[in-house]
Amino acid sequence: MDRVNMSIAVLPMAAQYGWSSTTVGLVQSSFFWGYLLTQVLGGIWADRFGGKLVLGLGVVWWSAATALTPLAAQAGLPALLAARALMGIGEGVAMPAMNNLLSRWVPVAERSRSLALVYSGMFIGSIAGLSLSPALIASAGWPSVFYGFGGLGLLWYAVWRARAASTPADDPRISNAEKAYILANTSVSGKSTDAIPWRALLSRREVWAIIVCHFCHNWGTFILLTWMPTYYNQVLGCDIFKSGVFSVLPWMTMAVAANVGGWLADSMVARGVSVTLVRKVMQSAGFLGPAVCLSLLSHVNTLPQAVACMMGAQGFDAFSQSGLYSNHQDIGPRYAGVLLGLSNTAGVLAGVLGSLATGWLLAHGTWADVWRVAVALYLVGTVVWNLFSTGERIFD
């Protein structure tokens, strides 16, 4: 929720402060400046100190930064950029910490659908943020979006601190039978990771396949995440309320498709299909589906057609949860947090460059140019993934 609220709030903020498309791109990208800094650190901290602590503190940090955003905007553009970067610093630890928790809690045979279910929370949060933001802005002004969502994060932390555990061994609430089952069917012990074999990790082409493909994937994903309401507003003439409503639909598709993809992937593994083939099939769908849909988007001129293309792009994108995003735990479950941090650093870099490039392209070109770049990277990712990825465990 905290990440997508700016994609709606930026419309009245740009009108109030007189921002150009280039400045909007700068504001949109500033979140990723901080997000980039804590990807690897978040993985190291989660593998060493436990996902519960790292994720909890990250939520507190980014919720506080979210609540301070209106004050920063009033102070000027540099202060706003700093506040957004600080928010990114906190949120940067989230995905590495979640990957760490999943590698310790989820049996291998349930990996794809459990990861898809957990990540569905991100999609549902995007749906809630995009749905609630226009109404909040209409009734209480754009600052209310940041105050409200920041406060929700602090309430969440109270529940998380009381109920969560980093490993089954740390949880006094589960039965001994359930604890024994989880420990026997996960690929990593409950012990923390003290030493990271950096040379071994970075010397494998399978790791670099994940890193490169995460970049290719996130370029398109973050453009849709941050610029979709602006596209509806500028190209199709939707007001802020309609922009928010129609931006919700692709995320609803994504939430459903992620869980369908997770079920399909785990079903294929259960039937004896190799994990490598499953990951390649699912990620190929996650690349080629959005590439086709965004290519079509350059040739549509009605709102229903545009929404259908966006829904298709996000729906196919969700299959990546059972491809790229599950692969860190496949190849090195003990270092899942660090591996996710490494690849998501590249993914965040794509978010920074993609947001800036989109602002520049819109100032000097058209939306068709934006989609062409995203499609080209999806195609590059497809080739790299099918040539170099694996679903086999390569790190002890």
Side-chain angles (χ1 to χ4, degrees):
M1 293 173 67
D2 292 336
R3 192 187 301 184
V4 300
N5 57 15
M6 180 58 81
S7 66
I8 296 293
V10 76
L11 298 175
M13 292 173 73
Q16 178 177 333
Y17 296 115
W19 294 339
S20 65
S21 293
T22 302
T23 302
V24 170
L26 187 65
V27 171
Q28 297 278 39
S29 71
S30 59
F31 164 85
F32 299 110
W33 305 346
Y35 195 62
L36 181 67
L37 297 177
T38 48
Q39 293 299 313
V40 176
L41 287 174
I44 294 172
W45 293 335
D47 288 344
R48 182 168 298 175
F49 302 114
K52 174 187 176 179
L53 176 65
V54 174
L55 182 57
L57 293 180
V59 171
V60 171
W61 180 286
W62 87 61
S63 297
T66 298
L68 291 172
T69 298
L71 297 177
Q74 293 173 15
L77 184 60
L80 174 61
L81 298 178
R84 294 292 294 173
L86 286 172
M87 177 188 167
I89 287 174
E91 196 159 334
V93 305
M95 290 180 64
M98 287 191 294
N99 227 36
N100 170 278
L101 289 165
L102 287 169
S103 70
R104 285 158 171 75
W105 274 95
V106 179
V108 175
E110 303 171 21
R111 179 168 293 158
S112 295
R113 61 181 181 271
S114 63
L115 189 144
L117 181 62
V118 169
Y119 276 53
S120 293
M122 297 170 59
F123 309 145
I124 293 170
S126 297
I127 292 169
L130 292 167
S131 300
L132 296 174
S133 292
L136 285 172
I137 292 171
S139 62
W142 63 261
S144 64
V145 172
F146 300 99
Y147 296 142
F149 292 172
L152 284 176
L154 298 177
L155 290 174
W156 175 92
Y157 174 71
V159 178
W160 177 257
R161 183 179 180 184
R163 304 293 298 180
S166 291
T167 69
D170 297 331
D171 192 342
R173 297 179 182 85
I174 65 172
S175 67
N176 290 331
E178 183 181 8
K179 185 182 300 184
Y181 172 77
I182 294 172
L183 293 176
N185 289 277
T186 50
S187 303
V188 62
S189 70
K191 296 180 180 179
S192 63
T193 301
D194 295 322
I196 308 298
W198 293 109
R199 180 174 297 180
L201 295 179
L202 295 174
S203 66
R204 296 300 297 255
R205 65 181 187 178
E206 296 88 352
V207 173
W208 284 103
I210 296 176
I211 292 172
V212 171
C213 291
H214 209 146
F215 181 94
C216 295
H217 170 267
N218 276 26
W219 185 283
T221 298
F222 279 131
I223 287 175
L224 293 176
L225 176 70
T226 56
W227 286 92
M228 196 187 305
T230 303
Y231 170 81
Y232 287 136
N233 178 259
Q234 291 183 353
V235 177
L236 301 172
C238 296
D239 59 25
I240 188 172
F241 180 78
K242 287 183 178 179
S243 294
V245 170
F246 289 121
S247 294
V248 164
L249 297 177
W251 292 103
M252 295 176 65
T253 306
M254 204 171 191
V256 173
N259 288 283
V260 171
W263 178 82
L264 287 173
D266 282 344
S267 296
M268 291 167 68
V269 172
R271 291 198 301 268
V273 180
S274 73
V275 176
T276 296
L277 180 58
V278 170
R279 299 294 178 241
K280 289 186 176 183
V281 168
M282 302 305 289
Q283 189 56 50
S284 294
F287 278 144
L288 296 177
V292 171
C293 292
L294 293 186
S295 296
L296 294 173
L297 192 60
S298 300
H299 305 287
V300 305
N301 51 24
T302 69
L303 182 59
Q305 290 173 335
V307 172
C309 288
M310 292 287 193
M311 292 175 68
Q314 294 290 77
F316 280 110
D317 179 277
F319 280 65
S320 298
Q321 308 302 323
S322 302
L324 168 69
Y325 284 92
S326 295
N327 200 225
H328 311 80
Q329 299 172 53
D330 294 328
I331 68 172
R334 183 172 178 80
Y335 308 108
V338 171
L339 289 168
L340 192 283
L342 284 170
S343 73
N344 209 34
T345 297
V348 175
L349 184 61
V352 174
L353 298 177
S355 293
L356 291 173
T358 298
W360 186 88
L361 286 170
L362 293 178
H364 300 86
T366 67
W367 279 98
D369 299 318
V370 173
W371 307 136
R372 288 190 192 103
V373 175
V375 168
L377 287 171
Y378 281 134
L379 297 178
V380 170
T382 303
V383 174
V384 171
W385 186 256
N386 282 284
L387 285 178
F388 301 116
S389 67
T390 182
E392 302 304 316
R393 181 172 179 172
I394 60 176
F395 300 112
D396 292 329

PDB file of all heavy atoms in Angstrom, residues 231-238 293-310 367-368 371:
ATOM      1  N   TYR A 231      -0.652   7.093 -17.003  1.00  0.00           N
ATOM      2  CA  TYR A 231      -1.012   6.679 -18.371  1.00  0.00           C
ATOM      3  C   TYR A 231      -2.505   6.838 -18.603  1.00  0.00           C
ATOM      4  O   TYR A 231      -2.938   7.409 -19.614  1.00  0.00           O
ATOM      5  CB  TYR A 231      -0.588   5.230 -18.597  1.00  0.00           C
ATOM      6  CG  TYR A 231      -1.115   4.626 -19.875  1.00  0.00           C
ATOM      7  CD1 TYR A 231      -0.492   4.878 -21.093  1.00  0.00           C
ATOM      8  CD2 TYR A 231      -2.249   3.807 -19.863  1.00  0.00           C
ATOM      9  CE1 TYR A 231      -0.987   4.335 -22.279  1.00  0.00           C
ATOM     10  CE2 TYR A 231      -2.744   3.266 -21.035  1.00  0.00           C
ATOM     11  CZ  TYR A 231      -2.110   3.533 -22.238  1.00  0.00           C
ATOM     12  OH  TYR A 231      -2.604   2.990 -23.399  1.00  0.00           O
ATOM     13  N   TYR A 232      -3.304   6.339 -17.670  1.00  0.00           N
ATOM     14  CA  TYR A 232      -4.747   6.468 -17.820  1.00  0.00           C
ATOM     15  C   TYR A 232      -5.168   7.940 -17.875  1.00  0.00           C
ATOM     16  O   TYR A 232      -6.079   8.323 -18.613  1.00  0.00           O
ATOM     17  CB  TYR A 232      -5.468   5.773 -16.666  1.00  0.00           C
ATOM     18  CG  TYR A 232      -5.437   4.262 -16.729  1.00  0.00           C
ATOM     19  CD1 TYR A 232      -5.175   3.512 -15.593  1.00  0.00           C
ATOM     20  CD2 TYR A 232      -5.690   3.581 -17.909  1.00  0.00           C
ATOM     21  CE1 TYR A 232      -5.144   2.126 -15.634  1.00  0.00           C
ATOM     22  CE2 TYR A 232      -5.667   2.199 -17.965  1.00  0.00           C
ATOM     23  CZ  TYR A 232      -5.397   1.480 -16.824  1.00  0.00           C
ATOM     24  OH  TYR A 232      -5.368   0.112 -16.875  1.00  0.00           O
ATOM     25  N   ASN A 233      -4.511   8.771 -17.074  1.00  0.00           N
ATOM     26  CA  ASN A 233      -4.848  10.188 -17.011  1.00  0.00           C
ATOM     27  C   ASN A 233      -4.435  10.927 -18.277  1.00  0.00           C
ATOM     28  O   ASN A 233      -5.218  11.685 -18.860  1.00  0.00           O
ATOM     29  CB  ASN A 233      -4.188  10.815 -15.782  1.00  0.00           C
ATOM     30  CG  ASN A 233      -4.433  12.308 -15.662  1.00  0.00           C
ATOM     31  OD1 ASN A 233      -3.562  13.099 -15.991  1.00  0.00           O
ATOM     32  ND2 ASN A 233      -5.609  12.699 -15.205  1.00  0.00           N
ATOM     33  N   GLN A 234      -3.209  10.707 -18.744  1.00  0.00           N
ATOM     34  CA  GLN A 234      -2.683  11.469 -19.872  1.00  0.00           C
ATOM     35  C   GLN A 234      -3.185  10.968 -21.214  1.00  0.00           C
ATOM     36  O   GLN A 234      -3.500  11.758 -22.105  1.00  0.00           O
ATOM     37  CB  GLN A 234      -1.151  11.436 -19.858  1.00  0.00           C
ATOM     38  CG  GLN A 234      -0.515  12.202 -18.717  1.00  0.00           C
ATOM     39  CD  GLN A 234       1.000  12.192 -18.810  1.00  0.00           C
ATOM     40  OE1 GLN A 234       1.594  11.520 -19.643  1.00  0.00           O
ATOM     41  NE2 GLN A 234       1.643  12.951 -17.928  1.00  0.00           N
ATOM     42  N   VAL A 235      -3.256   9.656 -21.384  1.00  0.00           N
ATOM     43  CA  VAL A 235      -3.586   9.086 -22.695  1.00  0.00           C
ATOM     44  C   VAL A 235      -5.091   8.908 -22.870  1.00  0.00           C
ATOM     45  O   VAL A 235      -5.637   9.169 -23.943  1.00  0.00           O
ATOM     46  CB  VAL A 235      -2.861   7.736 -22.885  1.00  0.00           C
ATOM     47  CG1 VAL A 235      -3.253   7.093 -24.222  1.00  0.00           C
ATOM     48  CG2 VAL A 235      -1.356   7.943 -22.820  1.00  0.00           C
ATOM     49  N   LEU A 236      -5.763   8.470 -21.820  1.00  0.00           N
ATOM     50  CA  LEU A 236      -7.176   8.132 -21.939  1.00  0.00           C
ATOM     51  C   LEU A 236      -8.102   9.138 -21.266  1.00  0.00           C
ATOM     52  O   LEU A 236      -9.317   8.969 -21.263  1.00  0.00           O
ATOM     53  CB  LEU A 236      -7.413   6.729 -21.365  1.00  0.00           C
ATOM     54  CG  LEU A 236      -6.596   5.620 -22.066  1.00  0.00           C
ATOM     55  CD1 LEU A 236      -6.724   4.309 -21.322  1.00  0.00           C
ATOM     56  CD2 LEU A 236      -7.027   5.460 -23.513  1.00  0.00           C
ATOM     57  N   GLY A 237      -7.516  10.183 -20.648  1.00  0.00           N
ATOM     58  CA  GLY A 237      -8.316  11.277 -20.102  1.00  0.00           C
ATOM     59  C   GLY A 237      -9.085  10.943 -18.845  1.00  0.00           C
ATOM     60  O   GLY A 237     -10.081  11.609 -18.529  1.00  0.00           O
ATOM     61  N   CYS A 238      -8.644   9.932 -18.085  1.00  0.00           N
ATOM     62  CA  CYS A 238      -9.336   9.567 -16.853  1.00  0.00           C
ATOM     63  C   CYS A 238      -8.994  10.555 -15.740  1.00  0.00           C
ATOM     64  O   CYS A 238      -7.848  11.006 -15.626  1.00  0.00           O
ATOM     65  CB  CYS A 238      -8.939   8.162 -16.407  1.00  0.00           C
ATOM     66  SG  CYS A 238      -9.426   6.858 -17.561  1.00  0.00           S
ATOM     67  N   CYS A 293       1.404  -8.332 -24.460  1.00  0.00           N
ATOM     68  CA  CYS A 293       0.351  -7.392 -24.035  1.00  0.00           C
ATOM     69  C   CYS A 293       0.801  -5.936 -24.162  1.00  0.00           C
ATOM     70  O   CYS A 293       0.023  -5.075 -24.596  1.00  0.00           O
ATOM     71  CB  CYS A 293      -0.066  -7.696 -22.604  1.00  0.00           C
ATOM     72  SG  CYS A 293      -0.926  -9.277 -22.406  1.00  0.00           S
ATOM     73  N   LEU A 294       2.038  -5.638 -23.795  1.00  0.00           N
ATOM     74  CA  LEU A 294       2.520  -4.267 -23.925  1.00  0.00           C
ATOM     75  C   LEU A 294       2.734  -3.890 -25.388  1.00  0.00           C
ATOM     76  O   LEU A 294       2.588  -2.712 -25.750  1.00  0.00           O
ATOM     77  CB  LEU A 294       3.816  -4.090 -23.136  1.00  0.00           C
ATOM     78  CG  LEU A 294       3.691  -4.190 -21.606  1.00  0.00           C
ATOM     79  CD1 LEU A 294       5.012  -3.851 -20.932  1.00  0.00           C
ATOM     80  CD2 LEU A 294       2.586  -3.272 -21.083  1.00  0.00           C
ATOM     81  N   SER A 295       3.078  -4.856 -26.225  1.00  0.00           N
ATOM     82  CA  SER A 295       3.173  -4.576 -27.660  1.00  0.00           C
ATOM     83  C   SER A 295       1.809  -4.172 -28.216  1.00  0.00           C
ATOM     84  O   SER A 295       1.696  -3.245 -29.024  1.00  0.00           O
ATOM     85  CB  SER A 295       3.700  -5.806 -28.414  1.00  0.00           C
ATOM     86  OG  SER A 295       5.025  -6.116 -28.017  1.00  0.00           O
ATOM     87  N   LEU A 296       0.768  -4.879 -27.778  1.00  0.00           N
ATOM     88  CA  LEU A 296      -0.585  -4.543 -28.221  1.00  0.00           C
ATOM     89  C   LEU A 296      -1.034  -3.189 -27.686  1.00  0.00           C
ATOM     90  O   LEU A 296      -1.804  -2.474 -28.345  1.00  0.00           O
ATOM     91  CB  LEU A 296      -1.560  -5.634 -27.768  1.00  0.00           C
ATOM     92  CG  LEU A 296      -1.388  -7.019 -28.403  1.00  0.00           C
ATOM     93  CD1 LEU A 296      -2.318  -8.031 -27.733  1.00  0.00           C
ATOM     94  CD2 LEU A 296      -1.651  -6.959 -29.899  1.00  0.00           C
ATOM     95  N   LEU A 297      -0.543  -2.825 -26.500  1.00  0.00           N
ATOM     96  CA  LEU A 297      -0.964  -1.572 -25.868  1.00  0.00           C
ATOM     97  C   LEU A 297      -0.596  -0.356 -26.718  1.00  0.00           C
ATOM     98  O   LEU A 297      -1.275   0.676 -26.653  1.00  0.00           O
ATOM     99  CB  LEU A 297      -0.325  -1.465 -24.484  1.00  0.00           C
ATOM    100  CG  LEU A 297      -0.846  -0.381 -23.538  1.00  0.00           C
ATOM    101  CD1 LEU A 297      -2.334  -0.584 -23.264  1.00  0.00           C
ATOM    102  CD2 LEU A 297      -0.071  -0.415 -22.227  1.00  0.00           C
ATOM    103  N   SER A 298       0.451  -0.482 -27.512  1.00  0.00           N
ATOM    104  CA  SER A 298       0.858   0.631 -28.372  1.00  0.00           C
ATOM    105  C   SER A 298      -0.139   0.889 -29.498  1.00  0.00           C
ATOM    106  O   SER A 298      -0.074   1.936 -30.157  1.00  0.00           O
ATOM    107  CB  SER A 298       2.235   0.342 -28.982  1.00  0.00           C
ATOM    108  OG  SER A 298       3.219   0.178 -27.975  1.00  0.00           O
ATOM    109  N   HIS A 299      -1.059  -0.059 -29.735  1.00  0.00           N
ATOM    110  CA  HIS A 299      -1.958   0.048 -30.877  1.00  0.00           C
ATOM    111  C   HIS A 299      -3.427   0.166 -30.472  1.00  0.00           C
ATOM    112  O   HIS A 299      -4.301   0.094 -31.345  1.00  0.00           O
ATOM    113  CB  HIS A 299      -1.781  -1.177 -31.782  1.00  0.00           C
ATOM    114  CG  HIS A 299      -0.371  -1.395 -32.224  1.00  0.00           C
ATOM    115  ND1 HIS A 299       0.260  -0.594 -33.167  1.00  0.00           N
ATOM    116  CD2 HIS A 299       0.564  -2.303 -31.838  1.00  0.00           C
ATOM    117  CE1 HIS A 299       1.507  -1.004 -33.353  1.00  0.00           C
ATOM    118  NE2 HIS A 299       1.723  -2.043 -32.563  1.00  0.00           N
ATOM    119  N   VAL A 300      -3.710   0.337 -29.186  1.00  0.00           N
ATOM    120  CA  VAL A 300      -5.097   0.477 -28.747  1.00  0.00           C
ATOM    121  C   VAL A 300      -5.396   1.945 -28.472  1.00  0.00           C
ATOM    122  O   VAL A 300      -4.497   2.727 -28.176  1.00  0.00           O
ATOM    123  CB  VAL A 300      -5.394  -0.381 -27.497  1.00  0.00           C
ATOM    124  CG1 VAL A 300      -5.037  -1.831 -27.747  1.00  0.00           C
ATOM    125  CG2 VAL A 300      -4.634   0.149 -26.275  1.00  0.00           C
ATOM    126  N   ASN A 301      -6.670   2.296 -28.555  1.00  0.00           N
ATOM    127  CA  ASN A 301      -7.055   3.689 -28.319  1.00  0.00           C
ATOM    128  C   ASN A 301      -8.349   3.833 -27.538  1.00  0.00           C
ATOM    129  O   ASN A 301      -8.942   4.912 -27.504  1.00  0.00           O
ATOM    130  CB  ASN A 301      -7.163   4.446 -29.655  1.00  0.00           C
ATOM    131  CG  ASN A 301      -8.027   3.704 -30.667  1.00  0.00           C
ATOM    132  OD1 ASN A 301      -8.889   2.900 -30.298  1.00  0.00           O
ATOM    133  ND2 ASN A 301      -7.783   3.969 -31.947  1.00  0.00           N
ATOM    134  N   THR A 302      -8.806   2.753 -26.924  1.00  0.00           N
ATOM    135  CA  THR A 302      -9.992   2.835 -26.076  1.00  0.00           C
ATOM    136  C   THR A 302      -9.647   2.345 -24.679  1.00  0.00           C
ATOM    137  O   THR A 302      -8.726   1.538 -24.493  1.00  0.00           O
ATOM    138  CB  THR A 302     -11.158   1.994 -26.636  1.00  0.00           C
ATOM    139  OG1 THR A 302     -10.823   0.599 -26.527  1.00  0.00           O
ATOM    140  CG2 THR A 302     -11.426   2.349 -28.090  1.00  0.00           C
ATOM    141  N   LEU A 303     -10.416   2.821 -23.713  1.00  0.00           N
ATOM    142  CA  LEU A 303     -10.162   2.457 -22.319  1.00  0.00           C
ATOM    143  C   LEU A 303     -10.311   0.959 -22.065  1.00  0.00           C
ATOM    144  O   LEU A 303      -9.421   0.360 -21.434  1.00  0.00           O
ATOM    145  CB  LEU A 303     -11.095   3.251 -21.403  1.00  0.00           C
ATOM    146  CG  LEU A 303     -10.927   3.019 -19.901  1.00  0.00           C
ATOM    147  CD1 LEU A 303      -9.516   3.363 -19.450  1.00  0.00           C
ATOM    148  CD2 LEU A 303     -11.954   3.852 -19.116  1.00  0.00           C
ATOM    149  N   PRO A 304     -11.386   0.288 -22.526  1.00  0.00           N
ATOM    150  CA  PRO A 304     -11.485  -1.162 -22.279  1.00  0.00           C
ATOM    151  C   PRO A 304     -10.320  -1.951 -22.862  1.00  0.00           C
ATOM    152  O   PRO A 304      -9.824  -2.895 -22.237  1.00  0.00           O
ATOM    153  CB  PRO A 304     -12.805  -1.541 -22.957  1.00  0.00           C
ATOM    154  CG  PRO A 304     -13.600  -0.281 -22.965  1.00  0.00           C
ATOM    155  CD  PRO A 304     -12.598   0.814 -23.185  1.00  0.00           C
ATOM    156  N   GLN A 305      -9.858  -1.564 -24.054  1.00  0.00           N
ATOM    157  CA  GLN A 305      -8.728  -2.270 -24.663  1.00  0.00           C
ATOM    158  C   GLN A 305      -7.453  -2.068 -23.850  1.00  0.00           C
ATOM    159  O   GLN A 305      -6.681  -3.011 -23.636  1.00  0.00           O
ATOM    160  CB  GLN A 305      -8.517  -1.769 -26.089  1.00  0.00           C
ATOM    161  CG  GLN A 305      -9.606  -2.171 -27.066  1.00  0.00           C
ATOM    162  CD  GLN A 305      -9.431  -1.517 -28.426  1.00  0.00           C
ATOM    163  OE1 GLN A 305      -8.827  -0.454 -28.545  1.00  0.00           O
ATOM    164  NE2 GLN A 305      -9.972  -2.148 -29.462  1.00  0.00           N
ATOM    165  N   ALA A 306      -7.237  -0.843 -23.387  1.00  0.00           N
ATOM    166  CA  ALA A 306      -6.038  -0.555 -22.601  1.00  0.00           C
ATOM    167  C   ALA A 306      -6.055  -1.309 -21.276  1.00  0.00           C
ATOM    168  O   ALA A 306      -5.041  -1.884 -20.860  1.00  0.00           O
ATOM    169  CB  ALA A 306      -5.922   0.943 -22.348  1.00  0.00           C
ATOM    170  N   VAL A 307      -7.206  -1.328 -20.614  1.00  0.00           N
ATOM    171  CA  VAL A 307      -7.318  -2.048 -19.343  1.00  0.00           C
ATOM    172  C   VAL A 307      -7.096  -3.542 -19.561  1.00  0.00           C
ATOM    173  O   VAL A 307      -6.423  -4.206 -18.770  1.00  0.00           O
ATOM    174  CB  VAL A 307      -8.690  -1.792 -18.689  1.00  0.00           C
ATOM    175  CG1 VAL A 307      -8.887  -2.688 -17.473  1.00  0.00           C
ATOM    176  CG2 VAL A 307      -8.816  -0.330 -18.283  1.00  0.00           C
ATOM    177  N   ALA A 308      -7.636  -4.081 -20.659  1.00  0.00           N
ATOM    178  CA  ALA A 308      -7.444  -5.504 -20.957  1.00  0.00           C
ATOM    179  C   ALA A 308      -5.969  -5.823 -21.162  1.00  0.00           C
ATOM    180  O   ALA A 308      -5.471  -6.853 -20.682  1.00  0.00           O
ATOM    181  CB  ALA A 308      -8.258  -5.894 -22.187  1.00  0.00           C
ATOM    182  N   CYS A 309      -5.250  -4.955 -21.871  1.00  0.00           N
ATOM    183  CA  CYS A 309      -3.815  -5.177 -22.081  1.00  0.00           C
ATOM    184  C   CYS A 309      -3.057  -5.107 -20.764  1.00  0.00           C
ATOM    185  O   CYS A 309      -2.149  -5.927 -20.510  1.00  0.00           O
ATOM    186  CB  CYS A 309      -3.261  -4.145 -23.066  1.00  0.00           C
ATOM    187  SG  CYS A 309      -3.755  -4.387 -24.774  1.00  0.00           S
ATOM    188  N   MET A 310      -3.397  -4.149 -19.929  1.00  0.00           N
ATOM    189  CA  MET A 310      -2.741  -4.028 -18.623  1.00  0.00           C
ATOM    190  C   MET A 310      -3.023  -5.253 -17.757  1.00  0.00           C
ATOM    191  O   MET A 310      -2.123  -5.786 -17.092  1.00  0.00           O
ATOM    192  CB  MET A 310      -3.225  -2.763 -17.897  1.00  0.00           C
ATOM    193  CG  MET A 310      -2.798  -1.456 -18.525  1.00  0.00           C
ATOM    194  SD  MET A 310      -1.055  -1.123 -18.251  1.00  0.00           S
ATOM    195  CE  MET A 310      -0.973   0.603 -18.750  1.00  0.00           C
ATOM    196  N   TRP A 367       4.312   7.293 -25.302  1.00  0.00           N
ATOM    197  CA  TRP A 367       4.145   6.095 -24.496  1.00  0.00           C
ATOM    198  C   TRP A 367       4.560   4.839 -25.267  1.00  0.00           C
ATOM    199  O   TRP A 367       5.024   3.869 -24.664  1.00  0.00           O
ATOM    200  CB  TRP A 367       2.694   5.965 -24.034  1.00  0.00           C
ATOM    201  CG  TRP A 367       2.389   6.813 -22.847  1.00  0.00           C
ATOM    202  CD1 TRP A 367       1.808   8.046 -22.835  1.00  0.00           C
ATOM    203  CD2 TRP A 367       2.668   6.494 -21.477  1.00  0.00           C
ATOM    204  NE1 TRP A 367       1.705   8.521 -21.553  1.00  0.00           N
ATOM    205  CE2 TRP A 367       2.215   7.586 -20.691  1.00  0.00           C
ATOM    206  CE3 TRP A 367       3.251   5.405 -20.848  1.00  0.00           C
ATOM    207  CZ2 TRP A 367       2.330   7.602 -19.307  1.00  0.00           C
ATOM    208  CZ3 TRP A 367       3.362   5.417 -19.462  1.00  0.00           C
ATOM    209  CH2 TRP A 367       2.914   6.511 -18.703  1.00  0.00           C
ATOM    210  N   ALA A 368       4.428   4.865 -26.583  1.00  0.00           N
ATOM    211  CA  ALA A 368       4.852   3.708 -27.374  1.00  0.00           C
ATOM    212  C   ALA A 368       6.342   3.437 -27.188  1.00  0.00           C
ATOM    213  O   ALA A 368       6.770   2.274 -27.154  1.00  0.00           O
ATOM    214  CB  ALA A 368       4.548   3.949 -28.855  1.00  0.00           C
ATOM    215  N   TRP A 371       6.824   1.515 -23.911  1.00  0.00           N
ATOM    216  CA  TRP A 371       6.491   0.089 -23.998  1.00  0.00           C
ATOM    217  C   TRP A 371       7.528  -0.680 -24.803  1.00  0.00           C
ATOM    218  O   TRP A 371       7.832  -1.827 -24.480  1.00  0.00           O
ATOM    219  CB  TRP A 371       5.099  -0.099 -24.619  1.00  0.00           C
ATOM    220  CG  TRP A 371       3.991   0.667 -23.960  1.00  0.00           C
ATOM    221  CD1 TRP A 371       3.002   1.374 -24.578  1.00  0.00           C
ATOM    222  CD2 TRP A 371       3.738   0.805 -22.559  1.00  0.00           C
ATOM    223  NE1 TRP A 371       2.164   1.952 -23.662  1.00  0.00           N
ATOM    224  CE2 TRP A 371       2.590   1.617 -22.413  1.00  0.00           C
ATOM    225  CE3 TRP A 371       4.366   0.344 -21.405  1.00  0.00           C
ATOM    226  CZ2 TRP A 371       2.064   1.967 -21.171  1.00  0.00           C
ATOM    227  CZ3 TRP A 371       3.846   0.696 -20.164  1.00  0.00           C
ATOM    228  CH2 TRP A 371       2.715   1.488 -20.050  1.00  0.00           C
TER     229      TRP A 371
END
